[in-house]
Amino acid sequence: YLCFQYLWLVAIEFFSYKRYYINMETLIQPKVLKGFRDFLPDAEINRSILIEKLTSAFRSYGFVPIDTPVLEYSEILLRKSNGETEKQVFRFEDNGKRDVALRFDLTVPFARFVAEHKEELYFPFKRYHIAKVWRGEKPQAGRYREFVQCDFDMVGSDSATADFEILSLMKYALSVIGVENVTIKVNHRGILNEFLETIGLREKSEDILRTIDKLAKIGEEKVKAELVALMEGDSEAEIKKEKIMSFISSKEDFDSTLENMANLAGEKAIPHIERMKEIRNMMKAAGIEKTFVLDPAITRGLDYYTGVVYETFLNDLPSIGSVCSGGRYDNLAGLYMKDRIPGVGSSIGLDRLIAGLEQLGATNKKGSFLDCEIFCLDKNLSVHYQAVASALRGKGVNVEVFADEKKIGQQYTVAEKKGIPFGILIKAEDAEKNVLTLKNLLTREQFTDISVEDAGKIILESKN
């Protein structure tokens, strides 16, 4: 009998171990794809607050929201792109055998949107769009494969006013989220194109502009080598290369740089020069001209830009790259419609911007949006706690009731992790008298035997 009992116990242990081992083998390891991220509450709260502030800034300039699908037909996204763009696109065949791709920016889908809804829109039409985009580029500091862009565009106007309004909004939008120490570098692709024509390279302008755009990333020597390669067979390749490098290397003040560009680009560039002068005068009139620098090397790599282009850099962290960029794209909507609708816009790379601010220690982490926590001292008072919470919410206080009757120290710990500034304590005798104790969880200051109304005033005053 004892032997049988022993064997029975061994069998139980064996099958229990085997079942555990099999279960462990079948568990899926929780992980995300390289270049993709989860966001814990403190990070997502920070991002949400920034988005709310940006939304308010966009609306203050008269921009309205739109949305578009994350998936588009590949021909829509890639019809006006280059080989580098196609390498970065997440492209696949869906179950219906359709060739589709995830949007890599919000501008091309917007062009399709305008063409498809032209009769339903009014012009000039000013939109903002805050949404995720996907690019299969190599992940690095501040660069991810899935990230949020905040786009704002004006279509239907080919004026210096429209160009300036986007630049002005770039400056204002960044300032409302606390990003003041920035430099916005501007240029005009039309001026550079006319210069290339004077040296006999107009037909190669798209490739040359795309090469120049790599200057900050790959350095001057590699750019020179690529320029020479583009001019293979041209006996004056070396001379033309040096002329291009000289043109894009002008680093004087805005007005002097523009004058130098005008002298080199010839008469055909005069309308573009005059456009830049008009924009510059508007900057001065608005008192924001010190933020903007004219940089002939700024070209923007995407082919659809035709006029003014710009990129924004954090002065304390220029290595992270541009955090807000864009330009004029007069011919973009023409890919999908016969009518010519001019446009100009910009995009804030929110995740890259946040990564930069985090490196600079310029972000504040919050664990919740709550102003106050009502601690659970007595589960029999749960109904009363909810009545108090409802009254406070009616006064504009963000408040929650702690769900379980745990030790008060444990409740304090949770509130601290959430970053909640105030706590409310109500005992049975307080409930009978309809009073409470309000505690500042940061300073430990207490207000005893006060009314719900007074508690609400104290909490709201501390926020202002």
Side-chain angles (χ1 to χ4, degrees):
Y1 173 77
L2 290 175
C3 183
F4 173 79
Q5 190 175 40
Y6 173 76
L7 289 173
W8 177 250
L9 291 172
V10 169
I12 290 174
E13 287 294 323
F14 172 76
F15 285 111
S16 296
Y17 172 79
K18 187 175 182 180
R19 185 168 63 251
Y20 171 78
Y21 181 74
I22 292 173
N23 286 340
M24 288 299 291
E25 273 199 332
T26 57
L27 287 176
I28 299 173
Q29 182 182 353
K31 58 184 177 181
V32 296
L33 291 166
K34 187 176 182 181
F36 294 75
R37 299 169 295 163
D38 288 325
F39 285 83
L40 292 172
D42 56 352
E44 186 62 17
I45 286 171
N46 185 42
R47 188 163 68 166
S48 297
I49 291 173
L50 293 182
I51 288 175
E52 288 173 7
K53 291 180 178 179
L54 289 172
T55 297
S56 178
F58 299 153
R59 290 174 180 175
S60 73
Y61 273 64
F63 287 68
V64 294
I66 68 163
D67 197 12
T68 63
V70 301
L71 270 183
E72 298 269 7
Y73 286 105
S74 295
E75 64 178 9
I76 295 290
L77 296 181
L78 302 176
R79 185 177 172 189
K80 186 67 171 174
S81 66
N82 54 66
E84 290 300 313
T85 300
E86 291 190 29
K87 291 176 185 177
Q88 295 179 2
V89 171
F90 287 95
R91 183 178 183 179
F92 56 93
E93 186 179 272
D94 69 6
N95 292 337
K97 304 299 181 181
R98 290 173 288 261
D99 182 9
V100 297
L102 289 170
R103 62 191 179 205
F104 61 87
D105 74 359
L106 299 176
T107 304
V108 178
F110 178 51
R112 191 267 309 152
F113 174 92
V114 171
E116 195 162 352
H117 300 283
K118 175 177 173 282
E119 300 304 322
E120 303 166 65
L121 301 176
Y122 47 84
F123 296 97
F125 179 66
K126 296 157 67 171
R127 70 96 194 205
Y128 69 89
H129 189 187
I130 303 174
K132 285 185 176 182
V133 298
W134 294 264
R135 294 181 190 173
E137 58 186 350
K138 183 179 180 181
Q140 52 185 293
R143 291 179 181 266
Y144 309 97
R145 288 175 173 168
E146 178 185 64
F147 53 96
V148 173
Q149 282 193 334
C150 306
D151 278 25
F152 43 105
D153 297 75
M154 183 191 301
V155 294
S157 174
D158 183 9
S159 68
T161 296
D163 291 336
F164 169 74
E165 183 162 307
I166 294 295
L167 290 167
S168 174
L169 180 51
M170 286 168 62
K171 163 72 174 170
Y172 178 68
L174 291 171
S175 69
V176 299
I177 60 175
V179 183
E180 297 279 4
N181 192 20
V182 298
T183 295
I184 302 176
K185 296 182 178 182
V186 301
N187 193 20
H188 197 299
R189 283 174 65 130
I191 301 173
L192 187 46
N193 282 333
E194 297 303 338
F195 163 72
L196 291 175
E197 182 165 336
T198 66
I199 60 175
L201 290 173
R202 186 66 172 85
E203 75 282 358
K204 295 182 180 293
S205 63
E206 286 189 0
D207 292 330
I208 291 173
L209 265 61
R210 197 177 302 121
T211 299
I212 293 171
D213 188 58
K214 301 177 186 177
L215 184 62
K217 184 184 294 185
I218 66 176
E220 187 174 313
E221 293 306 314
K222 289 185 178 180
V223 165
K224 287 181 178 180
E226 288 196 16
L227 288 174
V228 171
L230 288 173
M231 294 181 278
E232 185 178 1
D234 189 330
S235 60
E236 297 183 345
E238 286 293 330
I239 296 174
K240 292 178 179 179
K241 174 202 69 179
E242 291 304 324
K243 286 183 177 181
I244 293 171
M245 296 308 297
S246 176
F247 184 90
I248 66 175
S249 298
S250 178
K251 301 295 180 185
E252 300 178 64
D253 64 86
F254 196 110
D255 297 327
S256 299
T257 300
L258 186 58
E259 184 178 353
N260 182 57
M261 293 171 69
N263 293 333
L264 293 172
E267 290 186 4
K268 289 185 178 180
I270 290 177
H272 309 316
I273 297 293
E274 291 302 315
R275 170 65 64 93
M276 293 301 289
K277 287 181 179 179
E278 192 173 353
I279 293 171
R280 181 63 173 170
N281 288 335
M282 291 180 186
M283 291 175 182
K284 291 178 179 178
I288 58 175
E289 73 277 8
K290 291 181 180 179
T291 300
F292 298 88
V293 171
L294 179 57
D295 186 345
I298 296 296
T299 65
R300 304 294 296 142
L302 294 170
D303 296 341
Y304 51 66
Y305 291 117
T306 58
V308 178
V309 288
Y310 26 79
E311 295 184 350
T312 307
F313 298 89
L314 302 176
N315 293 338
D316 297 323
L317 195 66
S319 61
I320 202 168
S322 176
V323 297
C324 181
S325 55
R328 176 163 286 282
Y329 46 89
D330 289 348
N331 299 322
L332 184 64
L335 293 172
Y336 315 108
M337 60 191 297
K338 293 180 180 179
D339 296 339
R340 176 183 175 274
I341 299 181
V344 60
S346 188
S347 176
I348 297 175
L350 190 63
D351 291 311
R352 185 185 299 185
L353 176 59
I354 291 173
L357 295 177
E358 287 175 348
Q359 288 188 49
L360 296 172
T363 57
N364 296 316
K365 290 191 174 182
K366 292 181 63 176
S368 76
F369 292 104
L370 291 169
D371 302 315
C372 181
E373 182 83 23
I374 299 176
F375 296 117
C376 183
L377 304 183
D378 185 344
K379 63 181 180 181
N380 294 320
L381 296 177
S382 295
V383 173
H384 183 72
Y385 293 153
Q386 293 297 342
V388 172
S390 181
L392 287 171
R393 290 187 193 109
K395 299 180 183 302
V397 176
N398 297 334
V399 59
E400 74 172 4
V401 176
F402 201 94
D404 302 303
E405 187 182 345
K406 293 184 176 180
K407 293 181 180 179
I408 191 62
Q410 292 176 305
Q411 296 186 49
Y412 278 147
T413 299
V414 173
E416 184 178 344
K417 287 182 177 179
K418 290 182 176 181
I420 302 172
F422 285 94
I424 286 178
L425 302 101
I426 304 175
K427 298 177 181 179
E429 55 269 30
D430 297 326
E432 291 178 2
K433 294 186 290 184
N434 208 25
V435 296
L436 55 84
T437 295
L438 178 67
K439 185 172 184 177
N440 187 315
L441 301 178
L442 302 176
T443 65
R444 305 303 180 192
E445 182 182 9
Q446 288 197 169
F447 305 88
T448 58
D449 296 332
I450 63 173
S451 65
V452 173
E453 184 175 341
D454 288 340
K457 289 179 180 178
I458 294 170
I459 293 169
L460 293 176
E461 286 173 2
S462 71
K463 294 176 66 175
N464 300 328

